[in-house]
Amino acid sequence: MQTVIIDSHNEVLLYWIREYCRHKMPLVVVRIDRHHDMFSDCPRLPAKEGRNIFDYFDRMMPAICEYARRRLNEGNFTCPAFHYGILGSLYHFDPRKEKIDAYGRVFGGEFLDAPKTRIRSSFAGGKKIDLIEWDGAITRLRKQNGKLVPAPQSIGIRAFEGDLEESSFPVVIGFDLDGLCTTDERELAKRAIEKRLKRVKSLLECISSPVLACIARSQTPRAYVPADMVDELQKAALCLMERKVPGSLCAADRYHWIHT
């Protein structure tokens, strides 16, 4: 399993696409995060003009990197991942809570009830802009912060474990450090963070063979994690990931840092 450290979580789209192309099948993503990041209204990639999707992504990698970092944001990057078929299901876990929010579920070799998208065209300054949004005609939506997001299915950890046990799809972990502590929780007692780490550990124990883990420090464009705590929280997250990787090398020898 490769472990990647980034800053803003929208940069993870590039790594999702690489794993999608490597395995030639949609991913099951398990996200540990305070926020669901399921907003939409994001620009689409240039039309693939009938090309094979994997060839298209391979040729578009430099543009995809720019797209993920500059044209998406930390709240909407999962929407295009569903739109282009990169994700088949997404399980979101906030360690402050007991339940897991499932956006689609995996059953063996198929996905059920994954949120669907559509293209909405608008005009600005006489220029046509195509935006990806959730398709409310075939996906149940709910309103949050004045925007429409897919309504998840709330499941327990045993149901989550059962889904993954039967899955034949590659599993990717996304760990945003604000899942452990956010800037408005700066005075949070150490024992509260330890409790959250314990819950994350229980979740990770349900994942037998993840192919990628991505840790987001969440410092730009705005800081979601206290800057004076981010290094310590990153070490704690890496320690948990260490238990998912066989071998005796230290975590520092195995993860890849992405500077932005």
Side-chain angles (χ1 to χ4, degrees):
M1 181 184 73
Q2 180 189 21
T3 302
V4 174
I5 297 177
I6 57 175
D7 188 2
S8 182
H9 215 153
N10 44 292
E11 297 168 34
V12 76
L13 181 65
L14 176 67
Y15 299 94
W16 286 352
I17 291 175
R18 285 178 177 173
E19 291 302 315
Y20 173 59
C21 292
R22 186 163 72 94
H23 293 278
K24 300 293 190 293
M25 62 176 66
L27 310 175
V28 177
V29 169
V30 180
R31 296 197 60 246
I32 302 155
D33 195 339
R34 183 172 188 176
H35 310 100
H36 55 65
D37 296 342
M38 292 292 286
F39 295 117
S40 60
D41 286 343
C42 50
R44 68 185 299 181
L45 284 164
K48 63 185 180 70
E49 300 175 355
R51 289 194 295 264
N52 175 281
I53 188 66
F54 301 113
D55 292 340
Y56 170 71
F57 282 143
D58 183 58
R59 296 180 184 183
M60 289 287 292
M61 277 303 173
I64 289 170
C65 183
E66 182 69 13
Y67 171 78
R69 292 183 176 182
R70 310 298 179 198
R71 304 194 68 197
L72 301 180
N73 60 53
E74 68 274 22
N76 68 8
F77 61 94
T78 55
C79 182
F82 274 108
H83 179 74
Y84 291 106
I86 300 156
L87 304 191
S89 64
L90 184 148
Y91 296 85
H92 169 231
F93 179 59
D94 180 353
R96 298 158 185 78
K97 303 174 182 178
E98 297 287 344
K99 295 290 188 175
I100 298 164
D101 286 339
Y103 297 90
R105 295 180 67 180
V106 57
F107 290 92
E110 63 179 346
F111 297 103
L112 296 179
D113 301 324
K116 306 299 182 183
T117 60
R118 63 187 176 193
I119 296 295
R120 173 173 57 85
S121 296
S122 63
F123 292 86
K127 183 179 180 180
K128 181 182 176 183
I129 302 174
D130 288 335
L131 298 174
I132 305 170
E133 65 179 10
W134 300 114
D135 190 345
I138 52 179
T139 297
R140 187 166 64 91
L141 303 178
R142 61 186 176 94
K143 183 170 285 189
Q144 184 176 13
N145 299 329
K147 300 179 180 180
L148 292 174
V149 297
Q153 180 182 355
S154 181
I155 64 173
I157 195 164
R158 293 302 160 225
F160 168 74
E161 184 177 27
D163 285 6
L164 294 196
E165 281 181 348
E166 299 297 324
S167 172
S168 58
F169 296 99
V171 178
V172 170
I173 300 168
F175 197 155
D176 193 326
L177 295 180
D178 75 9
L180 298 177
C181 184
T182 55
T183 52
D184 60 347
E185 299 174 318
R186 186 180 298 274
E187 304 303 323
L188 191 67
K190 182 179 179 180
R191 62 180 176 274
I193 295 178
E194 290 175 346
K195 184 177 180 180
R196 293 173 186 176
L197 284 166
K198 185 176 180 180
R199 287 180 173 173
V200 173
K201 179 177 179 292
S202 296
L203 183 83
L204 294 178
E205 287 173 347
C206 299
I207 308 171
S208 60
S209 300
V211 298
L212 172 71
C214 190
I215 296 175
R217 290 167 61 87
S218 292
Q219 297 298 291
T220 57
R222 55 168 286 194
Y224 291 93
V225 181
D228 59 339
M229 297 176 65
V230 67
D231 290 337
E232 182 179 356
L233 294 175
Q234 177 181 302
K235 289 178 182 177
L238 282 169
C239 182
L240 290 179
M241 296 301 171
E242 178 82 359
R243 303 181 186 187
K244 305 306 298 178
V245 184
S248 59
L249 292 176
C250 70
D253 292 329
R254 273 203 298 269
Y255 72 78
H256 182 46
W257 182 282
I258 303 300
H259 291 282
T260 59

